[in-house]
Amino acid sequence: MSEDAPHHFSTATVLLDSRILLTSWVEGRATHRLGILDLHTGQWRVLPGLRGMLRDALALSDQRVLVLTDHALTEIDVTEPEIIRRLTAGIGKYNTYLRREGDDVVAVGNSGAATESLVSLSTMTVSKRRRRGSHLPDTIPEGAARAGAARILHHGPVLLVAATQIRESAPQRLLVLSAEDHAEIASVDFPLGLASAHVVGDGVIAAGPDIGRARALTAMPGLIPRVSDPGSVPLAEVVRTANESAVELRKKGARRNPPRTVYRDRRLEPGHELADVTGRRVTLENCVAARATQRHERPRISRVQITDLELQSSSLNGAVLEDVTVDGLRCPHGSGFLFGCELRRVTLRGRVRGLILNPTLDDPDPATTALYAQWQRERMQDPEWMLDLTEATGDITIRGYPSRFIRRNPELQAVVTAEAAHALDWRAVDPGRSSLRIALHELVRSDWEDVTLIADTHGARASDDLRYIQQLRALGISRAD
């Protein structure tokens, strides 16, 4: 996998008839890919257009495979590869298993649900729903249990492969044992978890629950002295060819989507400053700013210019941002909540997605909360401007930062003062589908001076946002800029 592959997308890895290995991952920001590894040639092929991550698969013929993902049951041709048919209606979401029930019927279900769907392969429709039968876990042989096995991943005539933890995402060890006497042949630690393991050729291919995080499949060749199938290819040869094939795929992908620079698991400590940085296509993943007990020790980000910035599971709460310019910002999965930041000459340009700014910082320690509130009050006495939104568009919410510190675009943004919100009948204005009215409800319940309303011209409610702002201006509720 490329280094900028997104994390936190778990996948199954399925071996079909000892000839094809299937797995999935996410490319770019949210594009699902099905990876098809031919175990005879070592060549990777990639199928786009999936809806969700791989959960299970069944071989229908030499060319056709039935693939179960989070949101669909899909029949694909693995030689092209291409999608032949897809079923979403009636099977529900987040299913985890496929099971043959006959020549024309497969059962689709979730191991944690009470019912499952029976799907006709000839019509690709749900024939009925039924109660799911009980599934007994694999019995762990006594010798394997003594070796630490808690979950059986493969039990064949030569090898028994097991994991030392029940939970896939827990740190654990992969155990490769002799099927005859359960003597240990090899073991590998998986600190990020272990989802599956398959015997391929003369060895084992194992996978963590998150291919994007684990970076790669783990291959352990040479565990079986003699491969019984004369058509099998030694695993070391498959690995070598597969790696070469993967490199070529990454080159093609990089031409379509240039790679991002990803910073993971960084912490900006008290008294530290990130300064004089320029970059493009940057992702911050699991990056945080620490709390300070002295104002001069607040983590600082100064003189930074970034084009195309993405925040993933990151928080810059409480930091000081000074002379920062961001051209294009994306904050998925709630990463755009920035609380208690001190802003000085921060400029946003281009499209912004999912940003919510609030000057207050609620810490579990009441003393820390009070400190940051005091520092915010002191900042309000400084006339230096905080935020420039004149060239920014998108989903931006400002809570509690007074408009006198914000440079605005009057075509897309408007200001309603607390005085106007209490004195004038803004509730009589129909917002349509616009959610901007929520900010006025927050204004009358808070001690804010005013609120800046920002129309999201990229959203499905763009026309309603703009119409609502125009109506507020026409009635004198929003002040003229």
Side-chain angles (χ1 to χ4, degrees):
M1 293 299 299
S2 58
E3 285 300 314
D4 61 346
H7 291 189
H8 315 305
F9 293 90
S10 61
T11 181
T13 303
V14 183
L15 178 66
L16 296 177
D17 298 339
S18 300
R19 61 186 180 88
I20 290 175
L21 190 73
L22 302 179
T23 189
S24 64
W25 60 84
V26 175
E27 284 185 2
R29 285 174 169 147
T31 303
H32 297 98
R33 297 284 194 240
L34 179 70
I36 305 168
L37 175 60
D38 188 321
L39 296 171
H40 290 171
T41 66
Q43 295 297 314
W44 279 101
R45 283 163 292 169
V46 177
L47 176 67
L50 291 184
R51 298 186 59 187
M53 303 297 284
L54 175 69
R55 299 302 167 207
D56 203 355
L58 286 173
L60 301 179
S61 67
D62 289 343
Q63 293 81 29
R64 301 293 176 90
V65 171
L66 201 59
V67 171
L68 179 67
T69 58
D70 290 321
H71 307 291
L73 182 64
T74 306
E75 182 182 341
I76 67 171
D77 184 332
V78 294
T79 59
E80 292 300 333
E82 64 179 1
I83 294 172
I84 306 300
R85 297 184 295 173
R86 174 179 285 150
L87 173 65
T88 57
I91 62 172
K93 297 180 181 179
Y94 307 111
N95 290 303
T96 59
Y97 68 84
L98 277 175
R99 186 180 62 252
R100 270 199 179 275
E101 293 289 314
D103 292 339
D104 186 57
V105 178
V106 294
V108 180
N110 185 308
S111 56
T115 60
E116 61 187 11
S117 302
L118 296 182
V119 176
S120 168
L121 295 177
S122 57
T123 61
M124 204 62 166
T125 58
V126 175
S127 58
K128 69 175 183 178
R129 297 277 297 174
R130 72 177 184 188
R131 188 168 210 50
R132 185 176 69 86
S134 59
H135 175 70
L136 297 177
D138 293 329
T139 301
I140 300 176
E142 184 178 344
R146 284 197 301 268
R151 179 164 46 105
I152 301 297
L153 303 176
H154 169 87
H155 196 173
V158 180
L159 298 181
L160 186 151
V161 185
T164 58
Q165 292 288 338
I166 295 294
R167 189 162 57 93
E168 293 183 356
S169 59
Q172 56 197 283
R173 176 172 293 184
L174 170 72
L175 300 174
V176 180
L177 309 176
S178 166
E180 182 179 355
D181 59 6
H182 304 134
E184 182 174 313
I185 298 172
S187 64
V188 177
D189 287 327
F190 281 77
L192 300 177
L194 174 62
S196 61
H198 307 285
V199 173
V200 175
D202 61 347
V204 172
I205 292 179
D210 180 345
I211 299 298
R213 180 175 59 187
R215 294 285 160 248
L217 301 172
T218 298
M220 305 170 66
L223 300 179
I224 302 175
R226 183 177 60 85
V227 179
S228 58
D229 181 2
S232 296
V233 180
L235 182 54
E237 184 177 335
V238 173
V239 169
R240 178 183 57 78
T241 309
N243 284 339
E244 293 172 355
S245 176
V247 168
E248 291 302 315
L249 286 176
R250 286 199 297 268
K251 288 180 180 178
K252 292 179 182 178
R255 287 194 291 268
R256 294 191 305 268
N257 299 299
R260 303 183 67 84
T261 300
V262 183
Y263 297 96
R264 293 188 173 97
D265 305 322
R266 305 293 181 90
R267 178 181 168 93
L268 198 58
E269 299 292 348
H272 288 194
E273 180 180 22
L274 175 66
D276 302 309
V277 174
T278 301
R280 297 181 63 87
R281 296 180 60 81
V282 174
T283 295
L284 302 182
E285 186 170 303
N286 197 31
C287 296
V288 298
R291 301 287 187 267
T293 57
Q294 301 291 329
R295 183 171 185 176
H296 69 276
E297 291 184 345
R298 294 179 70 175
R300 304 181 70 87
I301 300 175
S302 307
R303 302 180 301 281
V304 170
Q305 295 188 15
I306 301 292
T307 300
D308 189 358
L309 174 63
E310 181 179 50
L311 303 181
Q312 288 273 9
S313 303
S314 293
S315 170
L316 302 178
N317 292 347
V320 177
L321 281 64
E322 185 173 25
D323 294 315
V324 172
T325 298
V326 177
D327 189 346
L329 174 63
R330 186 174 184 271
C331 311
H333 312 306
S335 293
F337 287 86
L338 300 186
F339 292 91
C341 290
E342 181 177 316
L343 307 179
R344 291 181 174 275
R345 301 179 298 278
V346 174
T347 300
L348 297 179
R349 294 179 183 146
R351 185 173 180 181
V352 178
R353 288 177 258 194
L355 179 64
I356 300 176
L357 294 174
N358 191 321
T360 62
L361 179 67
D362 292 327
D363 192 86
D365 180 5
T368 300
T369 299
L371 271 179
Y372 278 82
Q374 175 61 31
W375 296 337
Q376 178 62 20
R377 288 192 294 270
E378 293 171 1
R379 172 66 181 93
M380 293 295 184
Q381 307 307 312
D382 185 342
E384 184 66 60
W385 64 275
M386 297 181 180
L387 190 62
D388 187 336
L389 299 176
T390 55
E391 298 180 55
T393 62
D395 179 17
I396 308 170
T397 301
I398 309 294
R399 296 172 176 166
Y401 287 97
S403 63
R404 57 192 169 96
F405 293 104
I406 301 174
R407 298 178 175 181
R408 301 178 302 279
N409 176 356
E411 294 184 6
L412 304 179
Q413 300 153 15
V415 174
V416 177
T417 64
E419 181 181 1
H422 284 97
L424 303 178
D425 190 12
W426 54 269
R427 293 179 177 83
V429 180
D430 181 12
R433 298 180 302 160
S434 174
S435 60
L436 296 180
R437 190 178 194 178
I438 297 173
L440 299 185
H441 283 284
E442 293 177 336
L443 176 61
V444 297
R445 294 195 301 264
S446 69
D447 59 355
W448 303 345
E449 296 179 19
D450 53 32
V451 68
T452 301
L453 305 179
I454 303 172
D456 180 5
T457 55
H458 302 279
R461 304 182 180 95
S463 58
D464 296 85
D465 283 354
L466 292 170
R467 187 183 306 111
Y468 187 57
I469 287 176
Q470 291 168 358
Q471 290 175 325
L472 293 176
R473 282 184 174 142
L475 295 174
I477 298 170
S478 169
R479 75 181 189 204
D481 279 318

